Amino acid sequence: ATPACWPRRFWRSMMRRWPNASTRGVPGKPRLSPNLRKTGPPDVVTPRHDPLPPGSTIGILGGGQLGRMLTLAAARLGLRSHIFADERGPAFDVAAATSVGAYQDRAALDRFASRVDVVTYEFENVPVDAAAHLAGLRPVRPGTKALSVAQDRLTEKRFISRLGIPMADFAEINGAQDLTRALAGLAAPAILKTRRLGYDGKGQAAL
């Protein structure tokens, strides 16, 4: 029954079935294969994967605090986690399974992949080559393109800018002359950041 505090019209509007891209007879709506779904820009489609059933194992690259939080969240959904990292970290204390190995060790990655259903990563500084290798064995989400973009701050900002998302002004800095030119054109104060391997304030300087 409709809760007394909720307007009935609102309740019905939440339940309405809207036509999707596979609905026949909707003008301008091309039909998609049932194995594909629309994501991002209108002309982009990606393979569709069903939700993981309880008891499945998520492989996580990286064993830090974010991997720990991800593992705990997965457990509440009935999912197991297997951590792969080049050294032990906080996530190792709560995961169902763990592996220590170099991200360049293809044999170790193969063994890891054989024990998980899907793969993700806890932070953006996981080597792209490792994720790309695993992508040939198991679904990796987010994909390697997203990982590659997120690892370079300049590439990431340019990507977001092309999507039309508002963001602060920025400039590429490769030397002292670039910095002088940028400070003349950008409103102060500003922050100088390394392009790679920066996080939680690391690799940043206030100007």
Side-chain angles (χ1 to χ4, degrees):
T2 304
C5 60
W6 287 10
R8 183 174 294 275
R9 185 172 60 180
F10 176 79
W11 176 256
R12 287 177 177 172
S13 69
M14 294 293 290
M15 299 299 292
R16 182 175 178 181
R17 292 180 179 273
W18 292 94
N20 56 36
S22 62
T23 302
R24 290 183 181 274
V26 179
K29 294 284 189 176
R31 300 188 70 227
L32 294 178
S33 162
N35 294 322
L36 295 176
R37 62 184 174 88
K38 297 177 70 175
T39 59
D43 58 341
V44 175
V45 293
T46 58
R48 188 170 79 183
H49 298 282
D50 294 330
L52 288 175
S56 299
T57 300
I58 301 174
I60 302 174
L61 297 177
Q65 61 180 348
L66 298 179
R68 179 187 179 93
M69 289 188 283
L70 179 57
T71 297
L72 294 173
R76 289 194 290 270
L77 298 174
L79 301 170
R80 296 163 54 86
S81 296
H82 184 149
I83 303 295
F84 183 100
D86 53 2
E87 61 181 4
R88 294 186 62 84
F92 278 63
D93 297 331
V94 295
T98 62
S99 297
V100 176
Y103 289 114
Q104 297 77 23
D105 188 338
R106 296 296 179 89
L109 293 173
D110 289 346
R111 290 192 295 271
F112 169 67
S114 70
R115 300 177 62 187
V116 304
D117 298 295
V118 295
V119 176
T120 188
Y121 36 89
E122 64 147 355
F123 72 140
E124 72 275 14
N125 289 325
V126 170
V128 174
D129 287 346
H133 177 74
L134 289 168
L137 304 171
R138 291 289 184 269
V140 174
R141 298 292 181 271
T144 55
K145 176 62 175 179
L147 179 61
S148 177
V149 169
Q151 288 186 351
D152 187 306
R153 282 185 168 130
L154 181 61
T155 300
E156 185 177 50
K157 286 183 177 295
R158 286 172 172 167
F159 175 79
I160 294 173
S161 180
R162 288 197 300 270
L163 294 178
I165 299 174
M167 58 189 307
D169 293 336
F170 62 94
E172 179 177 359
I173 306 298
N174 292 311
Q177 291 183 344
D178 292 334
L179 181 59
T180 301
R181 227 176 357 253
L183 289 176
L186 299 177
I191 298 178
L192 181 65
K193 300 181 179 182
T194 58
R195 289 180 59 171
R196 290 181 173 270
L197 301 177
Y199 61 91
D200 294 342
K202 177 183 177 182
Q204 301 185 17
L207 302 178

